[in-house]
Amino acid sequence: MRKFIGLSGLPRSGSTLLSSILSQNPDIHAEGNSAVCQMMWDLDQSCSYNCKEQLQATNRQQTQLDIISAIPYIYYKNVTKPIIIDKCRSWTLPANVFLMQRYITENIKIIVLERPIIKIVKSFVSLRKENNWESNLEEGLLDEKSEPIVRSLNGVKWAKENNHNNTFLFIQYDDLINNTKETINQIYKFIDEPIFEHDLNNIINKHPEDDKVYNMIGQHDIRPTINKRQINIELSQETINRCQELEQLPL
């Protein structure tokens, strides 16, 4: 692994499409949702609190660094490509940015995908409808600090306020769809890699996720060519107001 790049941002904003495009590059591995960040967080918390005394008493603080630093390499041990694009919506949260800096690389690069909240909510409502949800299709989507929208939005806002060292590259969903080649080239410039000519007429998800696990069949489906799907969903006025409120709220 020569480079470790984070892929984060808001859900329903094109991360599966982007990963599938980038995976055409023989030097890039980009798969679905990764557990690397969560594993590192859990072990860091355990070492910092649950077994802190044992590590100090036996002078094994370096062991904490060695074990947690090894997680990305173990996770991707069967990957031979030198550039890893690791997808996790939590990479924009400040504690996890610190984890990446401490345990993986000081030259942090995180791609952050964005999309208007109201369009994200409509996309989720449409998915729920297709999956025959019987409850309120809008329920819980915009609850305080909830996953996958609100917590991710807080991370995006923090990243925008703290992008002092060009750590984050913000990509709008519409730009990915409507100006795909220019957007991909912008990503290559950001990660300091040569531009690769992608086949945008034959896009394949080489690492499909089992959407039954998420109880949301079709959540990560992509089409072989790029086009914007029309979603005809009417939201309640309460949800529309909440979307507008979230867009305007400071961190």
Side-chain angles (χ1 to χ4, degrees):
M1 185 167 66
R2 177 166 55 82
K3 281 185 181 177
F4 186 96
I5 310 295
L7 175 58
S8 191
L10 297 171
R12 313 304 299 158
S13 296
S15 59
T16 305
L17 171 63
L18 177 59
S19 297
S20 299
I21 294 173
L22 292 175
S23 289
Q24 292 179 349
N25 188 324
D27 286 340
I28 292 179
H29 178 86
E31 59 181 67
N33 289 295
S34 164
V36 167
C37 182
Q38 188 65 56
M39 288 178 172
M40 291 176 64
W41 167 261
D42 290 344
L43 190 51
D44 180 74
Q45 292 296 295
S46 180
C47 291
S48 298
Y49 298 100
N50 299 340
C51 55
K52 180 179 180 181
E53 291 183 352
Q54 294 92 324
L55 291 171
Q56 288 181 339
T58 56
N59 195 30
R60 281 191 170 274
Q61 291 92 334
Q62 182 63 36
T63 300
Q64 174 179 346
L65 182 65
D66 292 342
I67 292 175
I68 300 176
S69 298
I71 288 175
Y73 294 92
I74 297 171
Y75 192 86
Y76 291 110
K77 68 177 183 178
N78 295 321
V79 175
T80 58
K81 297 182 178 183
I83 302 170
I84 299 294
I85 308 289
D86 186 86
K87 175 182 170 180
C88 177
R89 309 211 181 283
S90 297
W91 278 130
T92 51
L93 298 173
N96 295 328
V97 173
F98 171 76
L99 284 180
M100 187 183 289
Q101 185 176 40
R102 182 180 185 188
Y103 295 115
I104 301 179
T105 176
E106 293 184 358
N107 185 27
I108 301 173
K109 295 291 182 182
I110 301 173
I111 304 162
V112 183
L113 296 174
E114 297 184 90
R115 191 180 187 183
I117 299 300
I118 194 168
K119 293 185 178 180
I120 293 172
V121 172
K122 285 185 177 183
S123 182
F124 271 117
V125 169
S126 178
L127 269 174
R128 288 178 170 185
K129 188 176 181 179
E130 291 171 4
N131 280 269
N132 299 313
W133 280 42
E134 296 180 356
S135 60
N136 180 356
L137 297 177
E138 301 174 9
E139 184 179 2
L141 284 173
L142 299 177
D143 288 353
E144 193 71 24
K145 297 182 180 179
S146 64
E147 292 279 10
I149 300 175
V150 178
R151 189 166 178 264
S152 299
L153 178 61
N154 290 337
V156 171
K157 289 181 178 181
W158 182 87
K160 285 189 172 182
E161 293 176 1
N162 294 273
N163 196 21
H164 310 303
N165 298 315
N166 197 33
T167 298
F168 305 100
L169 174 66
F170 299 93
I171 299 292
Q172 290 289 336
Y173 174 78
D174 283 349
D175 288 334
L176 179 61
I177 299 299
N178 299 326
N179 304 296
T180 308
K181 184 174 181 178
E182 294 82 356
T183 301
I184 297 297
N185 290 348
Q186 187 181 4
I187 291 172
Y188 279 119
K189 182 178 180 181
F190 174 69
I191 67 175
D192 194 25
E193 290 294 325
I195 290 174
F196 180 83
E197 289 297 323
H198 292 273
D199 184 357
L200 301 181
N201 293 309
N202 186 31
I203 303 171
I204 299 171
N205 185 356
K206 297 179 180 179
H207 309 283
E209 297 181 66
D210 183 359
D211 285 338
K212 293 193 295 293
V213 174
Y214 305 115
N215 194 26
M216 195 75 77
I217 303 300
Q219 183 174 202
H220 297 102
D221 288 352
I222 62 167
R223 292 174 287 279
T225 57
I226 297 173
N227 54 76
K228 186 181 291 187
R229 182 183 175 193
Q230 295 300 317
I231 299 177
N232 298 313
I233 293 291
E234 294 292 332
L235 301 177
S236 67
Q237 190 58 50
E238 180 182 358
T239 295
I240 292 172
N241 293 342
R242 177 64 172 153
C243 290
Q244 294 171 343
E245 177 189 7
L246 286 170
E247 294 277 17
Q248 296 168 4
L249 279 176
L251 182 63

